[in-house]
Amino acid sequence: MGLVSVDDGWRMPEGLWERVEPLLPPPAPHPLGCHRPRVRNRDAMDAILLVLRTGMQWNALNATGICSSSAAHRRFQEWVEAESSTRSGGGGCSSTDSVVGIDWEWLAADGATGKAPLGGAKSGPNPTDRAKKMA
């Protein structure tokens, strides 16, 4: 049994899951045609949301008992690649806000999609490489 044994409200509500599940892409066929059974999409989503909500490391999922960290991270990568995470995001927030109410004052989003403007060849050598040049 893992550390997360009771649902204290952190899992995705059933109504929201019913709206999100059809947006998820179908699983890709395994190249060899055989493999271990996939983790249920619902379990993978709960594990992903736990990581995103708490900021815990992916490997810490192994102690929770929801699913393995590698299965959750692999599914997260599949869904991001298929862009299903961007399609499901807005509708869920607005419908949850109308039912439960979200305190938008305490929410923040952060992200970067471009290269660092001052990085690259113009920056100096990496300090960890100095010892290699002296030897």
Side-chain angles (χ1 to χ4, degrees):
M1 177 170 291
L3 299 173
V4 180
S5 58
V6 177
D7 178 10
D8 60 355
W10 59 268
R11 295 181 194 260
M12 182 181 286
E14 188 63 36
L16 181 56
W17 175 246
E18 290 172 0
R19 294 181 61 190
V20 169
E21 187 176 25
L23 301 174
L24 299 175
H30 193 274
L32 300 176
C34 60
H35 57 72
R36 294 179 65 193
R38 284 173 60 97
V39 171
R40 292 181 334 127
N41 282 343
R42 180 66 187 261
D43 292 339
M45 181 65 78
D46 284 340
I48 291 166
L49 292 176
L50 181 63
V51 169
L52 295 176
R53 178 176 178 236
T54 63
M56 65 192 275
Q57 296 176 351
W58 285 102
N59 286 335
L61 279 174
N62 293 331
T64 64
I66 302 169
C67 71
S68 71
S69 61
S70 57
H73 189 258
R74 191 178 316 111
R75 197 70 54 86
F76 176 71
Q77 289 175 322
E78 285 176 21
W79 291 343
V80 167
E81 187 175 313
E83 297 180 349
S84 50
S85 61
T86 58
R87 289 184 288 181
S88 63
C93 286
S94 62
S95 64
T96 303
D97 187 24
S98 65
V99 175
V100 178
I102 298 175
D103 187 1
W104 293 102
E105 181 179 341
W106 291 97
L107 296 179
D110 188 15
T113 57
K115 292 183 178 181
L118 301 176
K122 294 180 183 177
S123 63
N126 187 335
T128 59
D129 293 336
R130 290 182 191 148
K132 295 176 186 175
K133 292 180 181 177
M134 294 178 142

mmCIF file of all heavy atoms in Angstrom, residues 113-135:
data_model
loop_
_atom_site.group_PDB
_atom_site.id
_atom_site.type_symbol
_atom_site.label_atom_id
_atom_site.label_comp_id
_atom_site.label_asym_id
_atom_site.label_seq_id
_atom_site.Cartn_x
_atom_site.Cartn_y
_atom_site.Cartn_z
ATOM 1 N N THR A 113 8.978 29.157 -23.884
ATOM 2 C CA THR A 113 8.998 28.319 -25.080
ATOM 3 C C THR A 113 10.125 28.673 -26.028
ATOM 4 O O THR A 113 10.284 28.034 -27.046
ATOM 5 C CB THR A 113 7.671 28.433 -25.844
ATOM 6 O OG1 THR A 113 7.447 29.802 -26.177
ATOM 7 C CG2 THR A 113 6.519 27.911 -25.005
ATOM 8 N N GLY A 114 10.894 29.699 -25.721
ATOM 9 C CA GLY A 114 11.957 30.117 -26.629
ATOM 10 C C GLY A 114 13.336 29.883 -26.049
ATOM 11 O O GLY A 114 13.503 29.500 -24.896
ATOM 12 N N LYS A 115 14.351 30.127 -26.862
ATOM 13 C CA LYS A 115 15.724 29.985 -26.410
ATOM 14 C C LYS A 115 16.068 31.136 -25.479
ATOM 15 O O LYS A 115 15.496 32.217 -25.564
ATOM 16 C CB LYS A 115 16.671 29.994 -27.595
ATOM 17 C CG LYS A 115 16.548 28.793 -28.488
ATOM 18 C CD LYS A 115 17.575 28.867 -29.597
ATOM 19 C CE LYS A 115 17.503 27.650 -30.487
ATOM 20 N NZ LYS A 115 18.512 27.702 -31.551
ATOM 21 N N ALA A 116 17.031 30.908 -24.626
ATOM 22 C CA ALA A 116 17.511 31.969 -23.746
ATOM 23 C C ALA A 116 18.214 33.015 -24.598
ATOM 24 O O ALA A 116 19.106 32.685 -25.393
ATOM 25 C CB ALA A 116 18.463 31.399 -22.713
ATOM 26 N N PRO A 117 17.836 34.291 -24.474
ATOM 27 C CA PRO A 117 18.405 35.312 -25.359
ATOM 28 C C PRO A 117 19.903 35.510 -25.171
ATOM 29 O O PRO A 117 20.589 35.908 -26.092
ATOM 30 C CB PRO A 117 17.631 36.583 -25.008
ATOM 31 C CG PRO A 117 17.084 36.340 -23.647
ATOM 32 C CD PRO A 117 16.877 34.858 -23.534
ATOM 33 N N LEU A 118 20.424 35.228 -24.001
ATOM 34 C CA LEU A 118 21.847 35.460 -23.760
ATOM 35 C C LEU A 118 22.657 34.168 -23.752
ATOM 36 O O LEU A 118 23.830 34.177 -23.453
ATOM 37 C CB LEU A 118 22.033 36.194 -22.428
ATOM 38 C CG LEU A 118 21.319 37.543 -22.343
ATOM 39 C CD1 LEU A 118 21.483 38.144 -20.970
ATOM 40 C CD2 LEU A 118 21.820 38.496 -23.408
ATOM 41 N N GLY A 119 22.047 33.055 -24.069
ATOM 42 C CA GLY A 119 22.755 31.777 -24.041
ATOM 43 C C GLY A 119 23.443 31.483 -25.360
ATOM 44 O O GLY A 119 23.527 32.310 -26.255
ATOM 45 N N GLY A 120 23.973 30.301 -25.475
ATOM 46 C CA GLY A 120 24.592 29.878 -26.727
ATOM 47 C C GLY A 120 26.079 30.128 -26.775
ATOM 48 O O GLY A 120 26.765 30.194 -25.752
ATOM 49 N N ALA A 121 26.610 30.314 -27.977
ATOM 50 C CA ALA A 121 28.055 30.432 -28.184
ATOM 51 C C ALA A 121 28.623 31.696 -27.552
ATOM 52 O O ALA A 121 29.811 31.767 -27.258
ATOM 53 C CB ALA A 121 28.364 30.404 -29.675
ATOM 54 N N LYS A 122 27.832 32.711 -27.345
ATOM 55 C CA LYS A 122 28.328 33.963 -26.791
ATOM 56 C C LYS A 122 28.640 33.850 -25.304
ATOM 57 O O LYS A 122 29.376 34.650 -24.769
ATOM 58 C CB LYS A 122 27.308 35.078 -27.016
ATOM 59 C CG LYS A 122 27.109 35.415 -28.469
ATOM 60 C CD LYS A 122 26.096 36.509 -28.621
ATOM 61 C CE LYS A 122 25.848 36.803 -30.091
ATOM 62 N NZ LYS A 122 24.820 37.825 -30.269
ATOM 63 N N SER A 123 28.068 32.868 -24.639
ATOM 64 C CA SER A 123 28.366 32.712 -23.218
ATOM 65 C C SER A 123 29.720 32.040 -23.057
ATOM 66 O O SER A 123 30.222 31.383 -23.957
ATOM 67 C CB SER A 123 27.271 31.896 -22.527
ATOM 68 O OG SER A 123 27.234 30.605 -23.058
ATOM 69 N N GLY A 124 30.314 32.196 -21.897
ATOM 70 C CA GLY A 124 31.641 31.641 -21.639
ATOM 71 C C GLY A 124 31.596 30.138 -21.461
ATOM 72 O O GLY A 124 30.542 29.513 -21.521
ATOM 73 N N PRO A 125 32.767 29.536 -21.250
ATOM 74 C CA PRO A 125 32.819 28.094 -21.062
ATOM 75 C C PRO A 125 32.126 27.689 -19.766
ATOM 76 O O PRO A 125 32.082 28.467 -18.812
ATOM 77 C CB PRO A 125 34.315 27.793 -21.019
ATOM 78 C CG PRO A 125 34.962 29.079 -20.635
ATOM 79 C CD PRO A 125 34.080 30.160 -21.184
ATOM 80 N N ASN A 126 31.643 26.497 -19.749
ATOM 81 C CA ASN A 126 30.989 25.958 -18.570
ATOM 82 C C ASN A 126 32.026 25.806 -17.464
ATOM 83 O O ASN A 126 33.088 25.236 -17.703
ATOM 84 C CB ASN A 126 30.356 24.608 -18.925
ATOM 85 C CG ASN A 126 29.524 24.058 -17.798
ATOM 86 O OD1 ASN A 126 29.732 24.369 -16.641
ATOM 87 N ND2 ASN A 126 28.582 23.218 -18.164
ATOM 88 N N PRO A 127 31.758 26.293 -16.255
ATOM 89 C CA PRO A 127 32.747 26.184 -15.172
ATOM 90 C C PRO A 127 33.150 24.749 -14.870
ATOM 91 O O PRO A 127 34.269 24.501 -14.414
ATOM 92 C CB PRO A 127 32.039 26.809 -13.971
ATOM 93 C CG PRO A 127 30.971 27.653 -14.540
ATOM 94 C CD PRO A 127 30.584 27.041 -15.838
ATOM 95 N N THR A 128 32.297 23.801 -15.134
ATOM 96 C CA THR A 128 32.655 22.408 -14.849
ATOM 97 C C THR A 128 33.644 21.861 -15.862
ATOM 98 O O THR A 128 34.242 20.820 -15.626
ATOM 99 C CB THR A 128 31.399 21.519 -14.837
ATOM 100 O OG1 THR A 128 30.756 21.608 -16.109
ATOM 101 C CG2 THR A 128 30.433 21.942 -13.753
ATOM 102 N N ASP A 129 33.833 22.545 -16.991
ATOM 103 C CA ASP A 129 34.772 22.077 -18.013
ATOM 104 C C ASP A 129 36.196 22.596 -17.779
ATOM 105 O O ASP A 129 37.129 22.188 -18.458
ATOM 106 C CB ASP A 129 34.308 22.507 -19.403
ATOM 107 C CG ASP A 129 33.026 21.817 -19.815
ATOM 108 O OD1 ASP A 129 32.768 20.727 -19.278
ATOM 109 O OD2 ASP A 129 32.305 22.357 -20.653
ATOM 110 N N ARG A 130 36.384 23.513 -16.846
ATOM 111 C CA ARG A 130 37.711 24.106 -16.637
ATOM 112 C C ARG A 130 38.738 23.050 -16.228
ATOM 113 O O ARG A 130 39.866 23.069 -16.684
ATOM 114 C CB ARG A 130 37.634 25.191 -15.582
ATOM 115 C CG ARG A 130 36.885 26.405 -16.052
ATOM 116 C CD ARG A 130 36.880 27.480 -14.992
ATOM 117 N NE ARG A 130 35.940 28.522 -15.388
ATOM 118 C CZ ARG A 130 35.241 29.232 -14.548
ATOM 119 N NH1 ARG A 130 35.348 29.027 -13.261
ATOM 120 N NH2 ARG A 130 34.409 30.149 -14.986
ATOM 121 N N ALA A 131 38.345 22.147 -15.347
ATOM 122 C CA ALA A 131 39.295 21.133 -14.876
ATOM 123 C C ALA A 131 39.728 20.207 -16.008
ATOM 124 O O ALA A 131 40.852 19.726 -16.030
ATOM 125 C CB ALA A 131 38.685 20.330 -13.739
ATOM 126 N N LYS A 132 38.867 19.973 -16.957
ATOM 127 C CA LYS A 132 39.193 19.092 -18.067
ATOM 128 C C LYS A 132 40.278 19.705 -18.954
ATOM 129 O O LYS A 132 41.099 19.000 -19.523
ATOM 130 C CB LYS A 132 37.948 18.792 -18.890
ATOM 131 C CG LYS A 132 36.910 18.011 -18.135
ATOM 132 C CD LYS A 132 35.652 17.827 -18.973
ATOM 133 C CE LYS A 132 34.565 17.168 -18.166
ATOM 134 N NZ LYS A 132 33.315 17.101 -18.913
ATOM 135 N N LYS A 133 40.277 21.019 -19.102
ATOM 136 C CA LYS A 133 41.264 21.687 -19.954
ATOM 137 C C LYS A 133 42.646 21.703 -19.302
ATOM 138 O O LYS A 133 43.659 21.712 -19.969
ATOM 139 C CB LYS A 133 40.817 23.103 -20.278
ATOM 140 C CG LYS A 133 39.599 23.137 -21.171
ATOM 141 C CD LYS A 133 39.178 24.539 -21.489
ATOM 142 C CE LYS A 133 37.952 24.523 -22.365
ATOM 143 N NZ LYS A 133 37.462 25.865 -22.645
ATOM 144 N N MET A 134 42.692 21.744 -17.976
ATOM 145 C CA MET A 134 43.975 21.813 -17.269
ATOM 146 C C MET A 134 44.685 20.462 -17.302
ATOM 147 O O MET A 134 45.897 20.399 -17.251
ATOM 148 C CB MET A 134 43.760 22.230 -15.820
ATOM 149 C CG MET A 134 43.242 23.620 -15.668
ATOM 150 S SD MET A 134 42.982 23.944 -13.942
ATOM 151 C CE MET A 134 43.499 25.630 -13.859
ATOM 152 N N ALA A 135 43.957 19.382 -17.366
ATOM 153 C CA ALA A 135 44.578 18.065 -17.295
ATOM 154 C C ALA A 135 45.291 17.668 -18.541
ATOM 155 O O ALA A 135 45.440 18.206 -19.525
ATOM 156 C CB ALA A 135 43.511 17.024 -16.993
#
